[in-house]
């Protein structure tokens, strides 16, 4: 007990002993161990099928089909597949959301989903991978710098049917259609991060826990009117503290009308849970701290009030709809299919589901959007520039342009933002897309002497790693596909 007291605040150790009882010593022993390393594959870009077997060091995360543990942590910066959105480095405990969504019939029927506190994008990318075919996702982050990181991660993952916003929770009350599912991964005291972020131990205090609990209550109450009747609010934190979990639910029940949804997790997974609130604890499973519960909204009167008060706004939004411009012939040659979801405006071609066009216009009117609908291409003078977001999305038409497969050294040269050498064999067309191991990375444009690099400048790798062998490092990472094609540099 003396050693524990020397590491953790007394109030924290007391609370954990009260919460866990006889399991507390095992908990603190596990906290002294190294945190596991895990990642989640992007099913739109990778495969774990038998013919593309994963390395032996990839051990499955039991509650997430695309989740894997690694035996050690490579330098992900030197893996082009990381930059191309082939996987997301995420703690395995947070992937429990995947198993929760599969138990919800409402998820399969959802059309509008909001990830309210979304940066840096772990849960948003998971939601995007599991998003029903008819649904779209709004990922929100109020802090500007974090919203930029969120937008980058989602673009690399594949940003079709996704917009990123930067708003306070109360701003979403102006969206008249409402959301079927809202995920609130609320700011918290960070107890579950103690192993990976030791500085969080020094920042923890009982007073901070109380501040976090009040902030979480305010966030949920502010976003509650944006949730449709019978809609689901998924509340999660990276803390175990009852004040931010059980006590918070009790406080919310005094202000809101909801029922807590019971979930059924495999007993072998080691999830700690009762009364609809579930925790991931390091002595029970390989992962960091995570708590989760799901609330179903039961307040039809509030929904009716919101609908009446916003009817005029809905009419004003309808009146602002602008007719789309004709799609240029050049674009149609790039995209021979699904033209109903495309429209051209201000020399930019966009892709967004036709059924959700009115919803998008509401978002554009009432929110600060960091990214809007998927940009396919933009006109610059007499020339058309295809977008990186399109290239990295599931909507990309691989046959519209020539592929330029490259090896690891050339891929890293590209990600550093450098120009690439050109040859007669590879300069068959002006615009070409770089691929590494079969994965699209970004655009280049051929000149007589070199390829101009169109990798977005804010995404460039800015640090050099001369002491690290990229080939040795890369063996720890995911093999997506074999490099193929006659134009390999």
């Amino acid at each position: 007990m003396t050693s524990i007291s020397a590491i953790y605040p007394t109030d924290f150790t007391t609370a954990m002993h009260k919460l866990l009882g006889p399991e507390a010593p095992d908990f603190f022993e596990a906290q002294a161990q190294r945190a596991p390393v895990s990642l989640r594959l992007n099913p739109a870009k990778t495969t774990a099928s038998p013919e593309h077997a994963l390395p032996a060091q990839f051990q499955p995360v039991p509650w997430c089909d695309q989740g894997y543990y690694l035996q050690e942590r490579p330098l992900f910066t030197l893996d082009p597949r990381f930059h191309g959105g082939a996987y997301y480095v995420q703690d395995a405990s947070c992937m429990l959301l995947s198993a929760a969504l599969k138990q919800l019939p409402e998820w399969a029927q959802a059309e509008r989903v909001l990830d309210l506190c979304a940066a840096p994008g772990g849960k948003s990318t998971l939601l995007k991978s599991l998003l029903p075919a008819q649904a779209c996702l709004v990922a929100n982050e109020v802090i500007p710098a974090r919203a930029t990181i969120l937008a980058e991660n989602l673009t690399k993952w594949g940003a079709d049917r996704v917009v990123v916003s930067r708003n306070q929770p109360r701003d979403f009350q102006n969206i008249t259609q409402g959301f079927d599912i809202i995920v609130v991964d609320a700011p918290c005291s960070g107890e579950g991060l103690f192993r990976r972020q030791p500085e969080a131990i020094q920042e923890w205090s009982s007073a901070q826990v109380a501040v976090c609990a009040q902030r979480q209550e305010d966030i949920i109450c502010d976003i509650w009117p944006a949730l449709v009747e019978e809609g689901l609010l998924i509340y999660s934190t990276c803390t175990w503290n009852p004040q931010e979990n059980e006590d918070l639910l009790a406080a919310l029940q005094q202000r809101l009308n909801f029922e807590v949804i019971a979930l059924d997790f495999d007993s072998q997974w080691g999830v700690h849970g009762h009364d609809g609130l579930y925790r991931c604890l390091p002595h029970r499973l390989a992962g960091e701290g995570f708590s989760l519960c799901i609330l179903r909204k039961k307040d039809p009167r509030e929904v009716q009030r919101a609908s009446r008060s916003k009817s005029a706004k809905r009419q004003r939004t309808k009146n602002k709809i602008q007719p789309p411009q004709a799609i240029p012939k050049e674009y149609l040659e790039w995209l021979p299919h699904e033209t109903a979801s495309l429209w051209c405006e201000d020399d930019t071609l966009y892709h967004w589901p036709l059924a959700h066009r009115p919803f998008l216009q509401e978002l554009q009117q009432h929110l600060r959007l960091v990214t809007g609908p998927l940009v396919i291409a933009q006109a610059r003078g007499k020339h058309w520039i295809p977008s990186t977001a399109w290239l990295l999305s599931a909507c990309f038409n691989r046959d519209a342009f020539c592929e330029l497969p490259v090896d690891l050294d050339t891929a890293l040269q590209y990600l550093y933002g450098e120009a690439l050498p050109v040859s007669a064999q590879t300069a068959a067309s002006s615009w070409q897309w770089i691929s590494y191991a079969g994965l699209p990375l970004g655009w280049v444009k051929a000149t007589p002497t070199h390829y101009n690099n169109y990798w977005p400048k804010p995404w460039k790798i800015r640090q050099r790693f001369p002491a690290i062998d990229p080939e040795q490092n890369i063996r720890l990472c995911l093999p997506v596909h074999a490099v193929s094609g006659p134009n390999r540099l």
Side-chain angles (χ1 to χ4, degrees), residues 128-151:
K128 175 62 174 67
S129 291
L130 300 177
L131 203 64
Q134 75 281 357
C136 56
L137 172 67
V138 178
N140 180 74
E141 172 57 49
V142 68
I143 300 175
R146 287 172 57 83
T148 299
I149 295 172
L150 171 65

Side-chain angles (χ1 to χ4, degrees), residues 437-466:
L439 182 75
L441 285 181
W443 294 105
V444 291
K445 189 175 183 181
T447 73
T449 59
H450 63 277
Y451 281 110
N452 285 329
N453 189 327
Y454 279 78
W455 183 245
K457 291 182 179 179
W459 299 0
K460 290 195 305 183
I461 301 176
R462 302 189 181 279
Q463 183 179 1
R464 300 283 179 167
F465 304 92

Side-chain angles (χ1 to χ4, degrees), residues 178-191:
F179 293 90
D180 305 299
I181 308 282
I182 297 178
V183 177
V184 180
D185 188 46
C188 67
S189 59
E191 296 173 353

